[in-house]
Amino acid sequence: IEIFNVHLKPIKKKENVDVSLLASLTPGFSGADIANICNEAALIAARKKKKKVEQEDFNQARDRIVGGLERKSKIISAKEKEIVAHHEAGHAVASWYLDHVEALVKVSIIPRGKSLGAAWYLTEERQIVTKAQFIDQMCAALGGRAAEEIIFKEVSSGALDDLEKVTKQAYNMVTYFGLDEKIGPISFYDSTGLYDRILGKPYSENMGKLIDTEVHNLITTQYKRAKEILIAHQHELEELAKLLLKKEVAGKDDLEKILGKRKENKNVFNTPKMNITY
């Protein structure tokens, strides 16, 4: 917040700009990154011929810096747009009903950078992650592919980024963090770099097979769980997808109107929240 206030001094902004919200939406940002957001917000406001920079200008600046430039000129067929809308709605609905996923603030199907859509979360920095948090994050990440299968009875290549992240996360849980019950509290992480000199992996062939089995079971279980959540809330899933097709962006108010107020989970391990981007 203090860094933001430094870079906001030369900018004429509206009195209702929430600096604390801006700070919470930019975890891990350097001073230079924050300065870029402030400058970009001023440019966005100037292009719209505004006399003062508004909250929405800062939000758009943050989205542009994190997700890349909007590519509204990118040609997407009506069918592809429908798939993307349901995919992003799947992420949103699944995460809404998971206790250990951070608060969702916006869903968009406007192409940015390499992505065709995104779900934006209110994130905070944290140093440790519990097993329950890992599992819920994986389930939310698989919500997009699950929504495609439920609605269209087939899946597409659009979940590539989600699958890559979930697979890496599952292997980390099993081989680095010792979070798998069958393999137990064992870590093959090597902070010394000595394993790099060894030809092959630092575990037996049988252990390797067990690791692969446990990773497969972990991912497929969370995929099944994501499908169960979305089937139970399919009406909301389809309603949110329709809204995205109409408006391209759904904010927090839109989400609460369709999904209701999100329940606060008092049993969540009390640490700040990790960011997931899709």
Side-chain angles (χ1 to χ4, degrees), residues 130-131 134-135 138 168-180 186 218:
T130 66
K131 183 177 180 179
F134 268 128
I135 288 173
M138 291 175 65
K168 288 179 179 177
Q169 193 172 40
Y171 271 106
N172 286 339
M173 288 176 66
V174 173
T175 61
Y176 286 173
F177 301 127
L179 298 177
D180 183 74
I186 297 174
L218 181 60

Side-chain angles (χ1 to χ4, degrees), residues 73-258:
S73 59
K74 186 175 180 62
I75 299 173
I76 303 175
S77 69
K79 181 63 176 178
E80 286 177 327
K81 193 170 183 179
E82 188 179 2
I83 292 172
V84 173
H86 283 87
H87 183 103
E88 297 305 330
H91 286 310
V93 175
S95 64
W96 199 265
Y97 293 102
L98 291 167
D99 290 336
H100 300 86
V101 177
E102 56 273 4
L104 182 67
V105 292
K106 184 171 71 172
V107 185
S108 168
I109 60 169
I110 298 174
R112 285 183 181 276
K114 295 180 180 180
S115 68
L116 297 178
W120 302 85
Y121 294 84
L122 186 61
T123 60
E124 296 178 19
E125 295 170 281
R126 69 176 169 207
Q127 304 304 316
I128 59 175
V129 186
T130 66
K131 183 177 180 179
Q133 290 168 334
F134 268 128
I135 288 173
D136 277 6
Q137 290 166 6
M138 291 175 65
C139 184
L142 292 166
R145 181 185 173 97
E148 290 183 29
E149 184 176 344
I150 291 168
I151 301 299
F152 303 105
K153 310 305 178 186
E154 64 176 351
V155 291
S156 72
S157 61
L160 174 60
D161 186 54
D162 302 326
L163 298 180
E164 179 186 3
K165 290 177 181 178
V166 165
T167 303
K168 288 179 179 177
Q169 193 172 40
Y171 271 106
N172 286 339
M173 288 176 66
V174 173
T175 61
Y176 286 173
F177 301 127
L179 298 177
D180 183 74
E181 292 182 6
K182 282 192 177 180
I183 293 177
I186 297 174
S187 175
F188 297 104
Y189 178 72
D190 177 32
S191 60
T192 65
L194 293 176
Y195 287 167
D196 294 338
R197 305 174 192 175
I198 302 174
L199 294 176
K201 298 177 180 178
Y203 44 78
S204 68
E205 184 177 345
N206 288 336
M207 177 61 80
K209 290 180 179 178
L210 181 58
I211 288 171
D212 290 341
T213 299
E214 290 303 289
V215 167
H216 180 265
N217 290 340
L218 181 60
I219 293 173
T220 54
T221 298
Q222 293 313 308
Y223 183 64
K224 181 181 178 182
R225 184 181 173 213
K227 286 177 66 176
E228 289 172 350
I229 293 172
L230 296 180
I231 289 171
H233 299 280
Q234 187 168 342
H235 175 72
E236 293 145 276
L237 170 68
E238 294 182 20
E239 191 175 346
L240 179 56
K242 287 179 182 177
L243 180 66
L244 288 171
L245 287 169
K246 182 179 179 181
K247 294 176 56 178
E248 293 191 321
V249 177
K252 187 178 179 181
D253 292 339
D254 297 318
L255 294 167
E256 289 184 348
K257 186 176 180 181
I258 294 172

